[in-house]
């Protein structure tokens, strides 16, 4: 069934969790690197705790406690604060940077690249992500994500769900809000996008946070499209 979304000309995607499997990618990457480098740690726990500091770190920027700081720098600050807890205080500067740059090396979910390639034939596609520009570009190269453009919150110096992020895409593309669709695996992201007039598509990623995930297991509102994955989204969007 093709959904009636005739006005849509561009689709932007939340990236961490929606397009790429950040948790599985980081655990696999750092486990392999640690084995080869003789650096041993509970990588799964470190990754979960590291990600747990993601929203609090961004909140410091949102509240104006610190000036605009990109995600690479926020990730690095959080990582360094965690290293002693995991017996990794002796990592060199180069090793710390390698670990922090793991966010540039995330792998796509199995359906993502094929689904995006189908959507790209009919729509302008790109990430609308809290990730900074360099991170998103490097991730796209690594995971073969076929973006037409990069829409980073770094462009707008605001983190989602600030309205400037969603409307910034519209402004840059000379499109009206109802001509842009936000696709995400997170209901809060879609609610914020809808509040400023964007169309919305929900794709569940029930293992984003691991086997015990309890949030965003299903659509919590009547989004314009609810798809099982990005291949299904392409089908429902007539691509």
């Amino acid at each position: 069934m093709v959904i009636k979304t005739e006005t849509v000309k561009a689709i932007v995607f939340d990236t961490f969790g929606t397009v790429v499997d950040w948790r599985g990618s980081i655990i696999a990457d750092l486990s392999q690197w640690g084995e080869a480098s003789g650096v041993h740690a509970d990588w799964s726990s470190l990754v979960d705790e590291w990600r747990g500091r993601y929203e609090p770190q961004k909140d410091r920027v949102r509240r104006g406690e610190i000036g605009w700081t990109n995600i690479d720098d926020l990730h690095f600050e959080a990582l360094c604060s965690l290293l002693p807890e995991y017996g990794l205080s002796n990592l060199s500067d180069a090793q710390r940077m390698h670990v922090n740059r793991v966010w540039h090396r995330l792998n796509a979910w199995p359906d993502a690249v094929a689904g995006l390639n189908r959507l790209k034939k009919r729509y302008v596609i790109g990430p609308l992500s809290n990730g900074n520009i360099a991170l998103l570009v490097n991730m796209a190269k690594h995971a073969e994500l076929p973006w037409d453009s990069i829409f980073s919150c770094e462009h707008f110096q605001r983190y989602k769900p600030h309205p400037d992020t969603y409307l910034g895409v519209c402004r840059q593309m000379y499109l009206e809000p109802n001509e842009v669709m936000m696709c995400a695996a997170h209901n809060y992201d879609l609610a914020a996008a809808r509040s400023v007039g964007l169309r919305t598509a929900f794709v569940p990623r029930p293992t984003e946070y691991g086997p015990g995930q309890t949030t965003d297991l299903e659509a919590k509102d009547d989004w314009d499209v609810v798809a099982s994955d990005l291949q299904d989204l392409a089908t429902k969007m007539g691509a």
Side-chain angles (χ1 to χ4, degrees):
M1 176 183 176
V2 177
I3 307 297
K4 292 184 178 180
T5 51
E6 294 90 346
T7 64
V8 174
K9 296 179 180 178
I11 306 177
V12 292
F13 296 80
D14 170 72
T15 306
F16 298 126
T18 302
V19 177
V20 297
D21 174 13
W22 58 265
R23 185 177 187 272
S25 299
I26 296 176
I27 292 170
D29 184 299
L30 295 183
S31 295
Q32 183 177 12
W33 171 78
E35 188 66 28
S37 305
V39 178
H40 303 291
D42 182 350
W43 297 114
S44 296
S45 294
L46 187 150
V47 169
D48 288 340
E49 194 166 355
W50 194 6
R51 182 65 175 188
R53 301 194 180 190
Y54 182 64
E55 288 300 330
Q57 286 283 79
K58 288 185 295 178
D59 282 342
R60 296 170 62 210
V61 177
R62 292 176 178 130
R63 291 192 298 264
E65 292 177 13
I66 58 175
W68 172 257
T69 308
N70 74 25
I71 286 295
D72 271 340
D73 291 341
L74 293 179
H75 276 158
F76 191 70
E77 182 180 340
L79 172 66
C80 290
S81 71
L82 286 170
L83 293 179
E85 180 180 340
Y86 288 88
L88 299 173
S89 297
N90 293 329
L91 289 186
S92 68
D93 289 346
Q95 288 175 318
R96 291 174 187 231
M97 187 59 66
H98 177 80
V99 172
N100 197 58
R101 289 288 179 88
V102 72
W103 294 92
H104 295 223
R105 304 189 297 271
L106 304 182
N107 300 319
W109 292 107
D111 57 277
V113 174
L116 291 174
N117 274 303
R118 288 174 60 193
L119 288 161
K120 181 184 174 78
K121 293 176 181 178
R122 181 166 179 173
Y123 305 95
V124 172
I125 63 168
L128 176 55
S129 171
N130 288 318
N132 47 290
I133 298 164
L135 184 159
L136 294 171
V137 169
N138 291 334
M139 184 200 303
K141 295 289 282 186
H142 173 81
E144 300 183 342
L145 305 175
W147 303 129
D148 290 307
S149 185
I150 299 291
F151 303 104
S152 166
C153 288
E154 187 174 28
H155 286 118
F156 316 117
Q157 303 220 333
R158 304 276 193 181
Y159 283 122
K160 293 189 297 179
H162 196 285
D164 287 356
T165 60
Y166 309 101
L167 294 177
V169 173
C170 304
R171 185 179 68 252
Q172 289 187 346
M173 292 300 298
Y174 298 100
L175 295 174
E176 295 299 320
N178 70 347
E179 295 177 310
V180 178
M181 171 175 278
M182 181 76 210
C183 174
H186 311 118
N187 285 278
Y188 88 91
D189 203 353
L190 298 182
R194 174 183 278 178
S195 73
V196 293
L198 273 67
R199 308 300 293 270
T200 53
F202 179 81
V203 175
R205 298 298 189 188
T207 60
E208 176 188 355
Y209 288 92
Q213 181 169 323
T214 58
T215 60
D216 290 315
L217 299 177
E218 60 185 9
K220 294 297 185 181
D221 211 330
D222 58 337
W223 310 122
D224 293 301
V225 181
V226 176
S228 60
D229 59 22
L230 295 185
Q231 288 270 40
D232 187 38
L233 177 64
T235 298
K236 288 181 174 177
M237 294 297 293

